Amino acid sequence: MAWFKSKSKPLPGTRRYVDMWAFMGAHPTNLDLFQRLKSGDDQQFGVNMDVCGTVSQLDDASGKWTQSHLIGIRTDAWNPKPQQQQKKLEAIQLERQETLRRLIKQSGSLSSAQTAKLHKQMLFDPVMKLRPGDLETRRLVLKLFRENSERIRWVGSIEEIVTTELARSTGAGKPLLSLTASLEGHKYLAEMQENQLRYRIPSIYTFCYFHEKRARMWYVTIRRKWISIGADFIVEAEGRKIGDIDGALFGFGYNAHVAVYDPDLSKDTQFLDLLTMFTASVSYHGAVRRAIRNRLRGSRTGIAGDQIIEDEEFRLLKNPRAA
């Protein structure tokens, strides 16, 4: 692998290469992961996981790149089966039917005339006309696993927060991504938000990262370059550059080098894991934006948003101070 030169010098142990695949289902590594997942003792290992990429790290002493991590995607959330779509649609239409009934009569049985009126409204209601394929239920969930010759171990996840996306995108009038990252043993989530600026083409993401060993908060910006070969980003904090994400020009999926330049953060492996997971998500950003547009259109037809949100996302939204 070639490493492109930068004016900033990456510190030892802070250079990674993220290789995301375009055709994950046909990749032989998936068979190996499936066999190892079946014997895994961690709840992060699920039968719905597929490998979608690998991560290699540079050994500064030898100058060699060694595969160090696997990236998995929850296929049941990203590509839900028709049965899942049908079940969600039935729940949405049942709720819609009850809403239409209450508009005619708040409680009690309907008369023959009222029942006929309800059936007529249902016949022309846009929600009742929906088919399973019209629903947008996909949600991105990526997991980073560290691997060795004996086992693989979960080190972090990055997942789409659809509720926040829909709320922010509705106000902005355009798709804005919202991602939440969790790290093994780390007490705090990192909320990665795409920001809306006028007259701006490149994406800008911001998040807070609490460096537990130093007990300090970092306010980080990931800014896509205006002019670049591939999808390139600059990582900034405190008004200076602290890292790079250099996307490759050629490749079937999204491939990129990741580097950290800050002396303090270079010693924090979890910060590098965080940047690695964000880099892995870049290959899905286009599809996520299309899904947000579909949700925005769906919200205008009256589709109940809470019925197409995963239970796992609702758990992330819960108030930790509530009794």
Side-chain angles (χ1 to χ4, degrees), residues 178-232:
S178 293
L179 303 167
T180 291
S182 56
L183 296 159
E184 182 190 27
H186 200 277
K187 298 178 182 178
Y188 308 96
L189 298 174
E191 307 284 348
M192 296 182 161
Q193 305 288 357
E194 185 177 18
N195 296 281
Q196 163 71 6
L197 296 177
R198 292 183 178 179
Y199 313 116
R200 174 188 59 80
I201 297 176
S203 298
I204 296 176
Y205 300 85
T206 54
F207 66 95
C208 300
Y209 175 73
F210 187 67
H211 191 174
E212 291 186 311
K213 291 183 180 179
R214 294 290 302 275
R216 62 165 295 187
M217 186 71 75
W218 287 84
Y219 301 95
V220 182
T221 298
I222 301 178
R223 190 187 309 273
R224 184 163 180 173
K225 294 181 180 180
W226 277 88
I227 301 175
S228 63
I229 300 175
D232 296 344

Side-chain angles (χ1 to χ4, degrees), residues 103-104 111-122:
L103 290 174
I104 297 173
S111 66
S112 298
Q114 289 171 331
T115 300
K117 183 178 179 181
L118 175 61
H119 289 164
K120 185 177 180 180
Q121 288 184 350
M122 289 173 58

Side-chain angles (χ1 to χ4, degrees), residues 249-270:
L249 175 59
F250 300 107
F252 292 106
Y254 178 68
N255 308 318
H257 290 92
V258 182
V260 177
Y261 307 132
D262 182 81
D264 284 340
L265 291 175
S266 66
K267 300 173 185 177
D268 188 350
T269 304
Q270 289 191 313

